[in-house]
Amino acid sequence: MTPLQRRQFGKLVAASLTSTVIADISSKAFAQNSESSKEILYGVNVLSTSNTRNREDQTPPVELNTANVPIGKVISANLLDPKLLSKVNLPVLSVENLLPVPKKPRAFFLPDSDRVTKAIVLGDKTLVISTISNTRNGYFNHLIYSVGSPTNRQFRAKKVLDFKSSNQTIESLLGLPNNQLLCIVGTGGVPPFTLTTLDFRTGKILSKNDLDLPPLPDKHRFANLCQDPKGNIFATEISSEGIPILISINLQDKAILTGKVKIKRLTRLTIEGRPVINDVKDLGFSSSGQLYALAADSSRKNNVLYTVDVKTGKMEVVKNFASEKFVFSL
């Protein structure tokens, strides 16, 4: 194929990305990553849906944005031009594991709603999106994930099962070996939080603490799991002060007295010298090892992508980024 033919083909692929046909998604959104010098930046949003949807056994519809970004470079505003973004809408999906989950109707109830809590890419390039649906009868957690070859990729869904109690929610997750996911679990999105593991094949929470995961402070909020290219795990922790602290976890580094994995508190997250108010919305590493954060701007109306200095916690603006979660993939 000549250089001109490749450019023409690239334009056709980009134009076709507006399609919402799931069965052909890989030849559009996923096939963008045809050059070894590029990686994909995904942005994820939950779309509105009818209140007649069965929120226990059906996922919310999701908007998936994709952009190619250079490998090895810190993303700047000109490298994340909105024109490079392409959108694909994933429709409502029925879960493949229809077992019931514990339900507990709530006295105080807000209208039915949905939110996305994390997007990750596993070692085999499977894209996994976790969502939570809020109903009068409680909360329902789902995993939307890609299947198939790069030329025929589709999406399916699972319900998360076997929580210890009702109304527990997956607030963040991370891929582990042996088809396991590391999860931060809360109750309706509020403390107390716990670290636990999930069997991705079955969608079931694992009862055994084989990784010796540590207990988390009862009144602290934890979120935004991510992992750098070397395998180091990071997240955010918020105490009563309301300021997010960047923390790190090494699953092999355990306390001598307790035998549990250590949590290292690194630094406060700051913007222009001032502590971040509330939490960031997401954290993620690019393949080069640069940490990025997604957070609301000062008006609380727009989401902005920031670079993060792991050593100092300093966040610097990259560009407005109209997504609730993001993840990089080679």
Side-chain angles (χ1 to χ4, degrees):
M1 183 182 291
T2 68
L4 177 60
Q5 289 173 322
R6 283 197 294 269
R7 287 197 295 271
Q8 291 173 333
F9 175 75
K11 291 180 180 178
L12 290 172
V13 170
S16 66
L17 271 164
T18 56
S19 171
T20 60
V21 179
I22 292 296
D24 200 29
I25 190 171
S26 63
S27 64
K28 301 178 178 70
F30 290 88
Q32 289 187 76
N33 196 25
S34 59
E35 300 179 31
S36 60
S37 61
K38 301 287 186 179
E39 63 181 320
I40 298 176
L41 171 61
Y42 294 107
V44 183
N45 289 312
V46 167
L47 300 173
S48 59
T49 184
S50 169
N51 283 335
T52 61
R53 189 185 101 236
N54 179 349
R55 278 182 159 82
E56 178 174 359
D57 295 326
Q58 292 181 313
T59 69
V62 171
E63 177 188 82
L64 184 62
N65 302 308
T66 62
N68 276 342
V69 295
I71 290 177
K73 293 185 179 180
V74 177
I75 298 174
S76 59
N78 64 318
L79 293 177
L80 194 59
D81 191 312
K83 294 179 182 178
L84 299 179
L85 289 172
S86 301
K87 296 182 180 180
V88 175
N89 291 342
L90 311 184
V92 172
L93 297 172
S94 296
V95 299
E96 58 192 30
N97 51 348
L98 292 172
L99 295 173
V101 299
K103 301 176 182 64
K104 185 178 180 181
R106 292 170 292 147
F108 179 75
F109 173 70
L110 296 174
D112 291 351
S113 61
D114 307 287
R115 59 189 176 97
V116 58
T117 60
K118 191 65 180 177
I120 61 173
V121 175
L122 304 180
D124 63 358
K125 309 305 180 186
T126 297
L127 176 63
V128 182
I129 301 168
S130 62
T131 65
I132 298 171
S133 294
N134 171 25
T135 75
R136 183 181 297 275
N137 289 323
Y139 297 89
F140 303 106
N141 299 259
H142 302 110
L143 302 176
I144 301 170
Y145 63 100
S146 62
V147 296
S149 68
T151 58
N152 186 28
R153 199 180 296 268
Q154 301 180 1
F155 279 84
R156 295 178 182 170
K158 296 176 183 178
K159 189 193 315 182
V160 180
L161 304 170
D162 288 1
F163 284 107
K164 291 183 178 180
S165 61
S166 60
N167 291 342
Q168 290 192 293
T169 50
I170 300 289
E171 296 300 323
S172 192
L173 50 80
L174 183 72
L176 295 174
N178 301 318
N179 288 303
Q180 291 187 6
L181 302 178
L182 176 65
C183 304
I184 295 176
V185 175
T187 302
V190 299
F193 288 87
T194 58
L195 286 170
T196 189
T197 50
L198 184 155
D199 186 332
F200 178 60
R201 293 166 297 186
T202 62
K204 293 182 178 182
I205 297 290
L206 299 175
S207 58
K208 292 184 178 180
N209 187 8
D210 291 334
L211 297 179
D212 296 319
L213 298 171
L216 302 178
D218 286 346
K219 296 182 180 180
H220 289 202
R221 177 178 176 83
F222 293 81
N224 304 311
L225 284 169
C226 62
Q227 192 169 33
D228 69 13
K230 296 180 180 180
N232 301 306
I233 297 171
F234 294 81
T236 55
E237 176 184 0
I238 297 181
S239 66
S240 57
E241 294 179 336
I243 299 172
I245 297 175
L246 189 65
I247 64 174
S248 70
I249 302 170
N250 184 328
L251 296 178
Q252 307 306 317
D253 185 13
K254 301 178 182 180
I256 296 176
L257 292 179
T258 65
K260 302 297 184 183
V261 172
K262 295 179 182 178
I263 296 177
K264 295 182 179 180
R265 290 163 176 86
L266 303 179
T267 182
R268 291 183 173 187
L269 296 179
T270 62
I271 299 176
E272 297 181 348
R274 297 187 297 271
V276 173
I277 303 301
N278 296 317
D279 201 357
V280 297
K281 295 193 172 184
D282 203 3
L283 289 177
F285 281 92
S286 67
S287 62
S288 66
Q290 174 62 54
L291 179 60
Y292 292 87
L294 191 65
D297 63 10
S298 57
S299 70
R300 315 300 295 178
K301 294 180 180 180
N302 302 302
N303 287 341
V304 177
L305 192 66
Y306 296 84
T307 58
V308 182
D309 187 312
V310 172
K311 294 182 179 179
T312 66
K314 182 180 179 181
M315 295 169 53
E316 294 187 351
V317 173
V318 175
K319 193 177 183 65
N320 283 9
F321 193 68
S323 295
E324 289 298 316
K325 301 293 176 182
F326 72 96
V327 66
F328 291 90
S329 176
L330 290 175

